[in-house]
Amino acid sequence: MRKKGKDCVKLRGEKKLCEAMDAIQAIRGTRDILPSEVGYWQKIEQLAARILSQAGYEEIRPPIFEATSLFARGIGEATDVVGKEMYSFTDKSDRHLTLRPEGTASVVRAYIENKLYVESGVQRLWYAGPMFRYERPQAGRQRQFHQIGVELLGSGDPRADVEAIALATEILQNLGLKSLQLDINSVGNPEDRTSYRQALVNYLTPYKNELDKDSQERLSRNPLRILDSKEKKTQAIAQNAPSILDYLGEKSLQHFEKVQQLLTALGIKYTINPRLVRGLDYYTHTAFEIQAADLGAQATVCGGGRYDRLVQQLGGPETPAIGWAMGMERLILLLQKLEKPPIKAPDFYLVSRGETAATMALVLASSLRQLGFQVELDLSGSAFAKQLKRADRSKTVATLVLGEEEVSNKTVQLKWMASGKQQVIETSKLLAMTAELRSEIKQHQLG
Ligand code: ATP
Ligand code: MG
């Protein structure tokens, strides 16, 4: 049932405006990430940050909205992302702005604008944050979703491709994810693609009326995208289309073969998928995706590729580059099947009775936190028994009890929850035995 409420707004210089309205809800395609779930998010973010920084990647945080032309020029006008999915608007000064649908164009803009290429020949960058696409929401597909991504700028070496791919697989493996499949392909350089494009159009034209509507349009504008279609019938037709790999020039072939060799040297299994072209226009040479078997229709958890022409196209110096992005929501769907969300139980839960004890508990909690302990203070003001029940529910390692007797003796009752062991300690002594407390807490957590 939808809640009815009254909403009042007072604008400057106007009468207070109240109107009955439905309780405001989150916008379709967006979600709250609640405390019960946020442990998964933090786990992935921390793991990715560690693995990426070990490999010399530095975090970059570009703004969430940019000039619409950045995406139109960067990603390509004929792509779904730009053509159909962007959240674009004009601000009060009539600027054309867009909530970023992906990270690469912004990172490249920042790279050029801040002349990061001057600092070092190779720049290794990563980012994490929300992206926005107007799509049909379903499991693993939202309108505000989150990505972690990397961009490795300044190297055209196949080792760069493989470094990037290896980092993605390392993150996924460290999360404990299984049944993943890495698909790779080469989309060559623009010259290779021109000859392939013609062959593809020749093959597809007789089937034109059987293709889905979008694909029919793409036949003249952007035929490679047809291979990326999610429509069953179009996919079936595309199955027998000529392979782009037969149209690669010698240099492109060499690059692709080297990438395969290096993946093998690292023990990374892959499948060559000549129909993998990816949804964005800026890719050259290597394109790859990592799919998870247990995700149903939204199976791709990571996608990326090389984009050697993008920096120049956006007004920077000629700079080869490769990058990828992972979808956080899809990773979390997978993690949820594997494990419970990590919970943060307190080391100490403080309960008290009476005014003076309540003040002392507040002070003690603060002192313990300064010593580095995780401490939760009962603020309910309810009876002792109820507070103790809550301590139990909090899964705390130990409970500290302050009653009238403890106040007058300047002591505190310490109860270890797992063993039930209790002791009465002088408050000043408790604060002086940090090392013992820490090791006791560790033992209890392990036990
Ligand atoms: P898809 O084919 O699933 O639409 P895509 O090719 O549009 O994916 P990319 O632009 O390559 O996706 O983005 C990289 C990753 O970001 C995807 O593999 C996916 O995990 C995630 N992602 C993309 N769009 C969404 C979305 N709308 N909701 C949730 N995750 C998404
Ligand atoms: Mg998409």
Side-chain angles (χ1 to χ4, degrees):
M1 231 183 66
R2 299 176 79 177
K3 284 187 215 139
K4 293 267 184 187
K6 267 208 161 178
D7 211 55
C8 300
V9 197
K10 187 171 186 314
L11 299 172
R12 211 186 319 159
E14 283 175 36
K15 270 197 300 188
K16 200 170 179 186
L17 198 73
C18 289
E19 57 183 60
M21 61 181 289
D22 287 344
I24 296 172
Q25 296 182 328
I27 303 298
R28 181 170 148 80
T30 72
R31 287 183 62 230
D32 299 303
I33 299 157
L34 296 173
S36 56
E37 190 194 321
V38 84
Y40 290 121
W41 289 77
Q42 289 167 343
K43 179 176 171 168
I44 299 173
E45 285 157 3
Q46 283 160 14
L47 183 90
R50 178 175 62 73
I51 289 176
L52 295 173
S53 90
Q54 276 180 334
Y57 287 71
E58 291 179 301
E59 190 182 358
I60 181 166
R61 301 188 183 190
I64 280 169
F65 58 93
E66 300 266 4
T68 299
S69 56
L70 171 68
F71 303 113
R73 268 168 66 190
I75 302 171
E77 305 264 10
T79 61
D80 278 357
V81 170
V82 173
K84 297 186 192 157
E85 298 174 356
M86 292 213 296
Y87 274 94
S88 298
F89 58 99
T90 47
D91 73 1
K92 293 188 194 299
S93 308
D94 274 338
R95 292 186 191 89
H96 294 276
L97 304 175
T98 293
L99 298 181
R100 62 180 185 194
E102 55 105 56
T104 303
S106 300
V107 171
V108 169
R109 196 238 348 107
Y111 173 83
I112 298 168
E113 188 170 336
N114 300 288
K115 297 195 171 52
L116 298 185
Y117 45 85
V118 177
E119 278 174 39
S120 133
V122 173
Q123 280 282 328
R124 291 178 165 92
L125 303 169
W126 70 272
Y127 59 85
M131 306 292 160
F132 306 84
R133 295 185 194 174
Y134 192 79
E135 301 196 68
R136 195 167 68 78
Q138 50 203 293
R141 189 176 296 285
Q142 291 178 199
R143 291 183 173 171
Q144 174 173 337
F145 62 101
H146 298 76
Q147 288 183 334
I148 291 185
V150 314
E151 312 296 348
L152 168 44
L153 296 128
S155 172
D157 194 305
R159 284 179 301 168
D161 306 39
V162 175
E163 174 178 302
I165 295 173
L167 284 167
T169 58
E170 200 182 330
I171 291 172
L172 298 171
Q173 268 166 14
N174 271 275
L175 284 172
L177 304 181
K178 305 247 159 54
S179 322
L180 298 172
Q181 179 177 319
L182 167 65
D183 278 13
I184 60 168
N185 191 25
S186 171
V187 294
N189 57 33
E191 295 77 53
D192 303 333
R193 276 209 296 279
T194 307
S195 51
Y196 176 61
R197 189 190 155 107
Q198 195 50 54
L200 188 62
V201 172
N202 292 346
Y203 167 81
L204 288 170
T205 305
Y207 297 105
K208 182 164 181 186
N209 293 332
E210 293 167 60
L211 299 174
D212 61 274
K213 240 179 155 253
D214 282 343
S215 295
Q216 291 184 10
E217 262 171 49
R218 288 186 187 124
L219 199 53
S220 53
R221 289 179 70 196
N222 198 345
L224 261 72
R225 276 300 87 72
I226 296 173
L227 301 178
D228 204 33
S229 168
K230 294 190 171 71
E231 299 295 326
K232 285 256 151 20
K233 192 142 187 222
T234 304
Q235 280 178 350
I237 294 169
Q239 269 307 314
N240 297 318
S243 161
I244 190 163
L245 297 175
D246 295 328
Y247 293 81
L248 296 183
E250 200 175 327
K251 274 204 163 148
S252 301
L253 261 181
Q254 268 172 12
H255 186 98
F256 190 42
E257 273 161 16
K258 190 75 192 173
V259 166
Q260 294 171 52
Q261 258 176 40
L262 295 170
L263 284 171
T264 307
L266 278 180
I268 298 175
K269 292 204 178 67
Y270 61 86
T271 307
I272 296 177
N273 174 1
R275 280 175 242 297
L276 171 61
V277 291
R278 317 251 324 111
L280 316 177
D281 268 357
Y282 52 59
Y283 289 107
T284 51
H285 299 291
T286 314
F288 71 95
E289 279 186 0
I290 302 175
Q291 317 258 347
D294 358 344
L295 265 187
Q298 268 59 250
T300 313
V301 289
C302 177
R306 181 163 276 291
Y307 52 94
D308 289 345
R309 310 273 167 120
L310 181 63
V311 181
Q312 207 174 12
Q313 196 178 312
L314 291 176
E318 207 181 317
T319 310
I322 176 141
W324 52 252
M326 280 182 192
M328 287 287 286
E329 280 77 6
R330 295 183 195 179
L331 292 182
I332 282 155
L333 287 174
L334 291 172
L335 263 191
Q336 279 171 337
K337 292 186 185 169
L338 286 182
E339 60 191 40
K340 291 213 166 88
I343 48 160
K344 285 205 182 115
D347 299 324
F348 295 110
Y349 191 98
L350 271 71
V351 307
S352 63
R353 177 162 46 201
E355 267 302 308
T356 324
T359 306
M360 280 180 62
L362 178 77
V363 174
L364 182 58
S366 160
S367 309
L368 285 166
R369 286 186 197 121
Q370 281 171 37
L371 292 170
F373 294 105
Q374 192 165 327
V375 183
E376 191 172 330
L377 178 66
D378 193 296
L379 284 176
S380 67
S382 49
F384 242 158
K386 277 199 172 161
Q387 293 188 49
L388 288 168
K389 254 195 198 137
R390 253 194 301 275
D392 224 17
R393 249 184 281 141
S394 79
K395 303 268 186 288
T396 184
V397 181
T399 303
L400 291 169
V401 184
L402 287 107
E404 281 128 30
E405 213 180 307
E406 284 78 16
V407 170
S408 49
N409 298 339
K410 295 204 167 58
T411 57
V412 58
Q413 240 188 80
L414 169 61
K415 180 179 175 195
W416 297 99
M417 303 304 272
S419 59
K421 192 176 81 181
Q422 293 196 35
Q423 57 197 114
V424 175
I425 313 179
E426 279 174 36
T427 313
S428 56
K429 275 207 183 128
L430 179 85
L431 292 171
M433 53 191 277
T434 317
E436 287 110 296
L437 289 173
R438 223 166 251 139
S439 86
E440 187 99 20
I441 286 169
K442 215 172 207 165
Q443 273 176 29
H444 272 89
Q445 280 167 337
L446 293 174

